[in-house]
C-alpha cells in the first residue's frame, strides 16, 4: 500500500515545533501484543483515514503509539491546574501523548500509552474498561450533539495493568480540535515570560477563535469567545443530565469541547445534588454546581490573560471581570433555549409564560425526582394527548402543569429530535465494560450501536431505555488511573 493511500501516516508537529516550552518529546511504551478492540470507522472516514490501514499491523501500532510516522514528533504536553480547588503547578500528560495534528488540523492523542516525565509516580498505563468507557460515552455525547473529543480506537496492549486487581491494558486514540486547556495557560503564565503566553494565545485564536484576531483587543475577545463556548457546553450537559465528575481547570478546554471521561455519568433520578465520583466527597462537581464551577474555572483562565489584555493591570482586571460577569446570563439563555426545545414550545410562545412553566417544572422534578431522561421522552406522548407515562413518573401532581403546557401547543416531533430515548445508562455501561474486560465485547458493541443513535426507538431493546432496577446499588465512578 503506497503512502498516498495511507493518510493516517500524515501527522503534523505544529504544537511540538511551536511550543518546545510546553511539552517533552516522548515515545509510547511498547505493547506486547497490540490488538484492535474497536475502530470508529465513520470517524476515520471523516478524517480521511484508511480503515483497512488502521486495522493492519502498522496501523494498530500507530494507534498504540509504538509506530511513529515519518515527520511526527509525539510530545507529552505540560500544563498546570486547579484540582478540586487546589492548585498543582505541574501536571501534564502523565499517561498520554500528543501524536500530532491530522490533515484537517485536529489532534491525534493517545491515553494510556505509558509513563512520561509528568507521571507523578503513576505507571502511565490504562485498563480496557476505562478506555472503552471514554470511547462509549464520548461517542454518545457526539450523537447527542454535545461538543466533545472523539474516540477513534481502543487497542488492547496484551499487557497487564495492576490496579486493585490485575486488568488487561489498553490505549485509547482520541481526536480533538486541540488539547489546549485552561491549565495550559496556567502553566505558561507561571513558568514562562509573557512572550510564550502571547504565542500560546495567538495559537489558540488562530486554531479555535479566529474572529478574535479582528477585534480591537484580541486577547479579551479570546476570553469572551472561550467563555461563550463553555457556557453553551455546560448548558448542554445540564439539559441531558450529564455530570462530568472532575471539572478541574486542566479538564476545561479552550475549544469548548468536553474532555476526559473519567468519573462521568448520566443522572437518572433527578436530584441537583447528584455526585458519582468516589473522590468528590464534598460535592464540588455535583450536577447543580457545574455552571458556577465553570465560571470559577474561567476566572482562573482570565487571571492568565491579564498581562496580554492591557498594560495597566487594574484595567486588564476590570475588563476581564466585566466579561466574566456575563457568564450567568449567557449560560441561562443557552439553558432556557434548550429547555424550550425539550418542551417543544413554539417560537411564538410568550417568553414570560414559558419561563414560568420551566420554573414550575424544575420544582415539580425536584419534588418527585423522576428518571430525568425518561420524563422528557414521556412528555412527547403527553404532547400527543397521552399523559400515562408522565403520570407514571410523577403522579397526578403534573396535571395542572400539563394543562398549561399543552395549551401552548407543543410539537411532539421536535421534542423527539432533542429528547433522547437512550443514554449510556450507568448499570448498562458497567455491565458492558465488565464483559469486555473478561474478553466479551458483544454487550459493549450493542450498547454502542444504541447510544450512537439515541433518538431512534429500537424494537426489543427497551432495557436500554430503562433506569437501573430499584434494588441496584448506588452508582459510583472512579478516575480510572
Amino acid at each position: 500500500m503506497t503512502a498516498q493511500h495511507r493518510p493516517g501516516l500524515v501527522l503534523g508537529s505544529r504544537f511540538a515545533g511551536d511550543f518546545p516550552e510546553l511539552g517533552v518529546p516522548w515515545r509510547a511504551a511498547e505493547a506486547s501484543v497490540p490488538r484492535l478492540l474497536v475502530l470508529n470507522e465513520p470517524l476515520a472516514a471523516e478524517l480521511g483515514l484508511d480503515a483497512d490501514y488502521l486495522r493492519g499491523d502498522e496501523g494498530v501500532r500507530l494507534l498504540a503509539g509504538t509506530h511513529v510516522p515519518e515527520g511526527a514528533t509525539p510530545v507529552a504536553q505540560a500544563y498546570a491546574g486547579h484540582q478540586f480547588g487546589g492548585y498543582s503547578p505541574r501536571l501534564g500528560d502523565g499517561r498520554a501523548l500528543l501524536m500530532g495534528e491530522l490533515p484537517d488540523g485536529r489532534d491525534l492523542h493517545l491515553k494510556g500509552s505509558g509513563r512520561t516525565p509528568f507521571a507523578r509516580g503513576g505507571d502511565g498505563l490504562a485498563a480496557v474498561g476505562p478506555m472503552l468507557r471514554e470511547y462509549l460515552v464520548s461517542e454518545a455525547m457526539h450523537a447527542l450533539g454535545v461538543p466533545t473529543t472523539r474516540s477513534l480506537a481502543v487497542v488492547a496492549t496484551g499487557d497487564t495493568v495492576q490496579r486493585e486487581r490485575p486488568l488487561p491494558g489498553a490505549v485509547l486514540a482520541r481526536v480533538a480540535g486541540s488539547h489546549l486547556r485552561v491549565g495550559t495557560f496556567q502553566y505558561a503564565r507561571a513558568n514562562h515570560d509573557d512572550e510564550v503566553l502571547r504565542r500560546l494565545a495567538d495559537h489558540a485564536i488562530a486554531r479555535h477563535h479566529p474572529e478574535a484576531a479582528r477585534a480591537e483587543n484580541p486577547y479579551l475577545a479570546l476570553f469572551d469567545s472561550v467563555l461563550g463556548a463553555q457556557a453553551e457546553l455546560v448548558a448542554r450537559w445540564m439539559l441531558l443530565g450529564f455530570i462530568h465528575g472532575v471539572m478541574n481547570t486542566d479538564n476545561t478546554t479552550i475549544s469548548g469541547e468536553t474532555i476526559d471521561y473519567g468519573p462521568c455519568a448520566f443522572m437518572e433520578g433527578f436530584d441537583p445534588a447528584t455526585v458519582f465520583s468516589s473522590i468528590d466527597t464534598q460535592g464540588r462537581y455535583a450536577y447543580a454546581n457545574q455552571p458556577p464551577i465553570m465560571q470559577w474555572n474561567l476566572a482562573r483562565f482570565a487571571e492568565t490573560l491579564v498581562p496580554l489584555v492591557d498594560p495597566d493591570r487594574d484595567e486588564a482586571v476590570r475588563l476581564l471581570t466585566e466579561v466574566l460577569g456575563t457568564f450567568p446570563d449567557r449560560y441561562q439563555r443557552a439553558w432556557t433555549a434548550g429547555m424550550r426545545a425539550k418542551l417543544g414550545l413554539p417560537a411564538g410562545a410568550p417568553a414570560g409564560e414559558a419561563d414560568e412553566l420551566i420554573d414550575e417544572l424544575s420544582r415539580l422534578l425536584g419534588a418527585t425526582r423522576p428518571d430525568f431522561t425518561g420524563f422528557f421522552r414521556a412528555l412527547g406522548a403527553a404532547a400527543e394527548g397521552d399523559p400515562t407515562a408522565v403520570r407514571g413518573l410523577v403522579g397526578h401532581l403534573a396535571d395542572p402543569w400539563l394543562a398549561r403546557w399543552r395549551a401552548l401547543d407543543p410539537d411532539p416531533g421536535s421534542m423527539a429530535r432533542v429528547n433522547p430515548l437512550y443514554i449510556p445508562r450507568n448499570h448498562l455501561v458497567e455491565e458492558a465494560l465488565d464483559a469486555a474486560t473478561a474478553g466479551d465485547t458483544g454487550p459493549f458493541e450493542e450498547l454502542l450501536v444504541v447510544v450512537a443513535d439515541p433518538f431512534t426507538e429500537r424494537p426489543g431493546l427497551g432495557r436500554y431505555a430503562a433506569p437501573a432496577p430499584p434494588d441496584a446499588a448506588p452508582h459510583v465512578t472512579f478516575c480510572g488511573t
Side-chain angles (χ1 to χ4, degrees):
M1 185 176 290
T2 59
Q4 62 264 32
H5 293 128
R6 303 195 308 193
L9 291 179
V10 179
L11 287 176
S13 54
R14 180 182 174 191
F15 183 88
D18 288 356
F19 297 100
E21 309 91 344
L22 303 180
V24 179
W26 207 252
R27 296 292 292 262
E30 286 298 323
S32 294
V33 189
R35 178 174 59 88
L36 191 64
L37 288 181
V38 57
L39 175 66
N40 191 335
E41 293 199 17
L43 177 58
E46 179 184 321
L47 295 168
L49 305 180
D50 188 322
D52 289 337
Y53 166 73
L54 293 175
R55 291 185 179 279
D57 175 70
E58 187 177 277
V60 171
R61 288 189 291 111
L62 169 66
L63 295 169
T66 57
H67 169 68
V68 178
E70 183 178 351
T73 306
V75 295
Q77 292 175 294
Y79 44 86
H82 279 83
Q83 298 190 312
F84 289 88
Y87 181 65
S88 295
R90 189 176 188 267
L91 295 171
D93 287 334
R95 59 170 182 161
L97 286 176
L98 172 63
M99 291 294 287
E101 294 89 12
L102 292 156
D104 74 343
R106 282 183 276 185
D107 283 356
L108 177 62
H109 191 260
L110 305 183
K111 191 172 180 179
S113 52
R115 297 187 75 249
T116 78
F118 304 108
R120 305 182 298 281
D123 62 14
L125 304 175
V128 163
M131 297 304 94
L132 288 178
R133 177 193 296 278
E134 177 153 343
Y135 188 107
L136 182 76
V137 181
S138 65
E139 288 308 293
M141 292 284 273
H142 173 70
L144 290 164
V146 180
T148 178
T149 58
R150 300 287 306 279
S151 294
L152 178 59
V154 176
V155 175
T157 62
D159 299 310
T160 298
V161 175
Q162 188 62 48
R163 296 295 182 259
E164 293 81 6
R165 57 189 175 90
L167 296 169
V171 175
L172 170 78
R174 71 182 178 196
V175 173
S178 83
H179 285 75
L180 298 178
R181 312 149 189 266
V182 169
T184 314
F185 280 78
Q186 291 180 293
Y187 185 88
R189 174 77 193 278
N191 292 281
H192 298 286
D193 58 30
D194 290 352
E195 187 271 334
V196 174
L197 182 65
R198 189 180 303 276
R199 283 195 285 116
L200 179 62
D202 289 342
H203 177 86
I205 288 171
R207 193 160 184 178
H208 297 302
H209 304 286
E211 70 286 349
R214 299 185 291 274
E216 181 179 352
N217 189 328
Y219 305 113
L220 185 64
L222 169 64
F223 180 61
D224 183 80
S225 293
V226 174
L227 183 144
Q230 289 291 350
E232 291 275 352
L233 178 67
V234 176
R236 288 174 183 262
W237 290 357
M238 300 294 285
L239 291 163
L240 292 167
F242 175 77
I243 300 172
H244 185 280
V246 62
M247 287 178 66
N248 299 328
T249 58
D250 56 295
N251 289 334
T252 303
T253 61
I254 302 305
S255 64
E257 294 171 311
T258 312
I259 191 171
D260 282 347
Y261 294 89
C264 67
F266 283 80
M267 177 174 64
E268 294 200 341
F270 180 79
D271 180 357
T274 300
V275 173
F276 293 108
S277 172
S278 63
I279 60 175
D280 192 3
T281 55
Q282 302 301 310
R284 177 180 175 86
Y285 299 143
Y287 171 74
N289 287 347
Q290 293 182 126
I293 285 293
M294 184 55 74
Q295 185 176 15
W296 190 92
N297 289 351
L298 290 164
R300 308 289 76 78
F301 181 43
E303 290 167 353
T304 72
L305 298 176
V306 167
L308 305 183
V309 166
D310 197 280
D312 181 329
R313 184 182 186 283
D314 290 343
E315 178 63 6
V317 169
R318 184 190 71 79
L319 291 169
L320 288 160
T321 301
E322 188 176 87
V323 174
L324 183 66
T326 67
F327 180 89
D329 181 63
R330 291 162 83 171
Y331 164 77
Q332 189 65 37
R333 281 190 277 117
W335 183 82
T336 300
M339 281 297 295
R340 287 180 65 112
K342 288 177 76 67
L343 296 178
L345 298 181
E353 191 169 354
D355 289 346
E356 287 180 13
L357 271 175
I358 292 170
D359 289 344
E360 188 178 332
L361 178 60
S362 295
R363 291 189 290 271
L364 175 66
L365 295 178
T368 57
R369 301 192 175 186
D371 180 73
F372 187 74
T373 302
F375 174 83
F376 283 99
R377 192 70 182 194
L379 277 182
E384 295 180 315
D386 183 5
T388 305
V390 170
R391 287 174 177 157
L393 290 166
V394 298
H396 286 274
L397 285 174
D399 286 356
W401 182 89
L402 286 170
R404 292 178 56 204
W405 169 66
R406 289 195 64 198
L408 294 179
D409 195 24
D411 177 11
S414 68
M415 293 173 69
R417 292 190 292 272
V418 299
N419 291 313
L421 179 61
Y422 306 111
I423 58 171
R425 297 278 179 179
N426 303 319
H427 64 295
L428 298 175
V429 171
E430 295 306 319
E431 177 186 293
L433 298 185
D434 286 347
T437 298
D440 178 10
T441 59
F444 170 85
E445 291 164 359
E446 184 168 82
L447 180 55
L448 180 62
V449 167
V450 169
V451 300
D453 185 15
F455 304 103
T456 303
E457 185 169 3
R458 294 173 179 270
L461 297 181
R463 67 186 294 259
Y464 289 103
D471 58 351
H475 186 66
V476 179
T477 60
F478 303 90
C479 285
T481 57

